[in-house]
Each structure stands twice: as C-alpha cells, then as structure tokens.
Amino acid sequence: MNASVQSDHGGACKSLGLALALALMMLAAPAMAQNGPVRLGVLTDMSSLYADNGGQGSVVAARMAADDFKGKVLGRPIEIVAGDHQNKADIGAAITRRWLENENVEVILDVPNSAVALAVQGITRDKKKLFLATGAATSRLTGDECSPTGIHWTYDTYALSQGTTKAISRLGAKSWFFVSADYSLGVQLEADSRKVIDATGGKVVGAVKHPINTPDFSSFLLQAQASKADVIALADAGGDFVNAVKQAGEFGVTREQKLVGLLVFINDIHSLGLSSAQGLMLSSAFYWDLNDETRAWSKRFIEKTKKVPSMIHAGTYGAVMHYLKAVEAAGTLDGPTVAAKMRELPVNDFMTRNGKIRQDGRLVRDMYLFRVKSPEQSKYQFDYYQLLATIPGEEAFRPMEDGGCPLLKKS
C-alpha cells in the first residue's frame, strides 16, 4: 500500500511539475513574443511561373531593406521568413494563418498571384495584420476587397491597362483579341483593359482563357490569329507570357498582328531574349537603368543574385523600408496603427518620389511606358528598355472614388 501511495504521490508531483512548467511557458510566451525578433513573411512563388519575377529575389530584397535599416526596429532584431504558396490560394492561406497565429509574423509581403493575394487580404484584414502586396496585380485589392491593413504597393491591373492599352490605342489599334489567364489576374487585367479600349473607340472582337502555367498555347493563339484583330493582348504573366510570345513567333502570328503584353517583367524579357521581344511595348513601375539611384540599388541586388531586379523586387525593398520607418515612428507593431502611419508618411526611395498611400490602400506613384530594344540597340548587360513616357501617378491609377472600396463609406 505504501508503495502504491508513493507511486501516486510521485505521479501527482510529476503532474504538478508539468502543470507548473506549462504555466511558466505560457507566461513566458508573451514576453518572448514582445522581446523576440520582428518577423516579416515573404509569401511568394519559389518554384513555378512567377519565381523569376518574385521568388528568392523578393526574399533578398526584403533582407536588403532590413540590413539597410541596421537590422533592428524598436530595439528588436528583424527577421525575414519565406514561404512558397505554389500558386494555390488554399496553400497561401494556410501559410498565412500559421505565420500569424503561431509564428509571430507581423506582415505578409509579395504574393505574386492575385487569387492567393485576395485570400491573404481577407485573413490579414480579420487578424488586423499588415499585408503589403508588392507582387499581386488585381485592382480589387483596393476596390471591393480593400482593407484597413492592406497596402497595394507596386502596380495593379488598372495602371497597366492605362499605360500599355492606352498607348497602343493611340498608335491606331482598333480591334483587339484577348488571351487571358483563367484566374483573378487575367479576369481583372482584361476587364480593366476593355474599359480603356471602349473609351478610346476600339473594339474587342474576341477573347479566350487559358489555364495557369500551361505549356501549350497553340489553340489559343490560332483563335487569336483567326480573329484578324489588330492586337493580340496577353493578359497573363511570368512563364505564361514567355511561352505565349515564343509560340506566337513559331506560328508566325506577329507577322500580321501586333502582340502586346499587359503585365511584363524584365525577367521575362531576359528569358525571351531581345531577338524575340524587340519592339514590345509595356508598362512598369520600375526599371533598373532609369537613373543613378535605381542603378546603384540594382548593382547591389545583381551582386547578390546575379539577376536583374524586377519591379516586384524593387517594390518589396521599398515596402519593407517604409513599413519599418512607420513602426519606428508609431512606436508599436500594432497592425492598424502602423498601417495608418504608413498612409500618413510620404514614400520616398530609389523607385518612388513623394508617393502617397491613399485610404483605400493604393500607393500612388508614377508609372513608365517602355519599348523593348533591338539587339543592336542594346549596349551592355540588361540594357533592354527605351523609355517612351512617364505616366503621372494620378493618371496611372484608378480614382479612389471609382473603386468601390467599403472603407470610404465609413469616412
């Protein structure tokens, strides 16, 4: 009996000890969260069609910003974590929830997939955490899906359509055929471009949707060719855009019709080569060779990655830097407070001059219209673009009152 009692007593002591240990851990957890690293999560495409435009380059850009901020904010070290959303909204949502709920991540960055970005926007809005969409395109992020803690940083489908579609229309294009990615990006890019075409007196004579990351564009391009449209507009991005352009050349589509990319990254041009890409017109928020400041930053990026920086990479650096400045100025990591401070402070860095973040979350800055150079015009590494026009931010981005952002109704 005594042995039995001793055993029970020992078990009770162990249980009590375990309970005390758990209680101490629970008490220590908030302190660890308050004194541990400030974590920023780069949620991107590491392995598929957007990996060159975002991917590891976005992680490098975020770390460059953290290092340039001296590695600490509010006395705590800055830590960059990374995740691969695999272009699937459910996977992106799961990573976002895990980061925010279990791993003390304060802000989500990049997300070069509009469907994933819309899922992330919903979660961060509910959790009152920051989402800085430096890689996503859909203008819905500042429209019906806007968020008090969501900031659309680099570009959007409206600005791209205002730049490229309007420029092509002014050159005399009257009839258009869309080859669009069959998800949020393609849908919104085509919709925003159609409005510009209608407003400039053009006509859309047909459209077809293709699966994301498809290797075979033959049937889509043949339909576009058969339409006899002046312009075939590619409302897709990354690897899809590259494959479409290559196959259009193989089918001889560009002999009679003009091919236009509505969302084009310099990494896509690098993959295509100037022989295939020459003459393409495109809109971008950034070009590495635009001025001395862009060249200086890009030189550092190229030294680290051996790759030319995209507008997503530049935007991710700028968003991290502005976020850290806002945290320091606000004296807190509280999501809504930091978001308000980010809106209050002007954005100034190597790619943005006196940028302003509106109430709907849109960062308003200049956009640029470029033409891709021919091989003969290119004089040095990554010398790919000729600047045609600078589009003022107020003209490039959708007027805030036209977006349908619910936040405006509360003001």
Side-chain angles (χ1 to χ4, degrees), residues 36 75-76 88 120 179 199 202 234 285:
R76 295 164 57 179
K88 296 178 180 176
V120 172
V179 178
L234 301 175

Side-chain angles (χ1 to χ4, degrees), residues 141-178:
L141 290 170
T142 54
D144 63 316
E145 288 290 341
C146 69
S147 165
T149 55
I151 295 173
H152 204 176
W153 193 268
T154 312
Y155 59 94
D156 65 23
T157 51
Y158 184 96
L160 295 168
S161 66
Q162 288 297 303
T164 308
T165 310
K166 191 174 286 186
I168 299 296
S169 296
R170 285 172 177 168
L171 290 175
K174 294 298 181 186
S175 57
W176 295 68
F177 188 100
F178 282 91

Side-chain angles (χ1 to χ4, degrees), residues 162-227:
Q162 288 297 303
T164 308
T165 310
K166 191 174 286 186
I168 299 296
S169 296
R170 285 172 177 168
L171 290 175
K174 294 298 181 186
S175 57
W176 295 68
F177 188 100
F178 282 91
V179 178
S180 305
D182 192 13
Y183 81 109
S184 304
L185 167 69
V187 171
Q188 199 61 49
L189 197 50
E190 180 179 330
D192 284 341
S193 296
R194 280 175 177 266
K195 292 175 184 175
V196 175
I197 293 165
D198 289 343
T200 54
K203 182 180 181 182
V204 178
V205 297
V208 64
K209 298 189 185 305
H210 68 79
I212 187 173
N213 208 17
T214 182
D216 184 7
F217 279 83
S218 57
S219 65
F220 313 116
L221 290 170
L222 289 172
Q223 289 179 63
Q225 190 175 36
S227 75

Side-chain angles (χ1 to χ4, degrees), residues 336-358:
T337 304
V338 175
K341 183 60 70 172
M342 290 183 74
R343 284 169 167 82
E344 179 186 320
L345 298 174
V347 179
N348 282 294
D349 57 36
F350 64 90
M351 72 176 289
T352 307
R353 284 283 170 273
N354 296 315
K356 175 66 177 173
I357 301 171
R358 302 185 312 204

Side-chain angles (χ1 to χ4, degrees), residues 45 74 79 129 207 302 310 370 407:
D45 178 355
L74 301 183
E79 183 179 327
K129 295 290 186 178
I302 292 168
S310 73
F370 297 104
L407 296 177

Side-chain angles (χ1 to χ4, degrees), residues 301-376:
F301 181 91
I302 292 168
E303 286 173 353
K304 291 177 181 293
T305 65
K306 312 305 178 190
K307 294 182 178 181
V308 61
S310 73
M311 59 177 162
I312 293 178
H313 301 145
T316 298
Y317 175 97
V320 171
M321 186 62 74
H322 192 68
Y323 168 77
L324 295 173
K325 288 177 182 176
V327 168
E328 198 90 303
T332 179
L333 291 171
D334 177 69
T337 304
V338 175
K341 183 60 70 172
M342 290 183 74
R343 284 169 167 82
E344 179 186 320
L345 298 174
V347 179
N348 282 294
D349 57 36
F350 64 90
M351 72 176 289
T352 307
R353 284 283 170 273
N354 296 315
K356 175 66 177 173
I357 301 171
R358 302 185 312 204
Q359 188 180 350
D360 63 353
R362 176 68 256 168
L363 170 57
V364 178
R365 67 136 75 73
D366 293 347
M367 294 285 290
Y368 305 97
L369 183 68
F370 297 104
R371 179 184 285 117
V372 178
K373 292 182 175 183
S374 67
E376 295 74 29

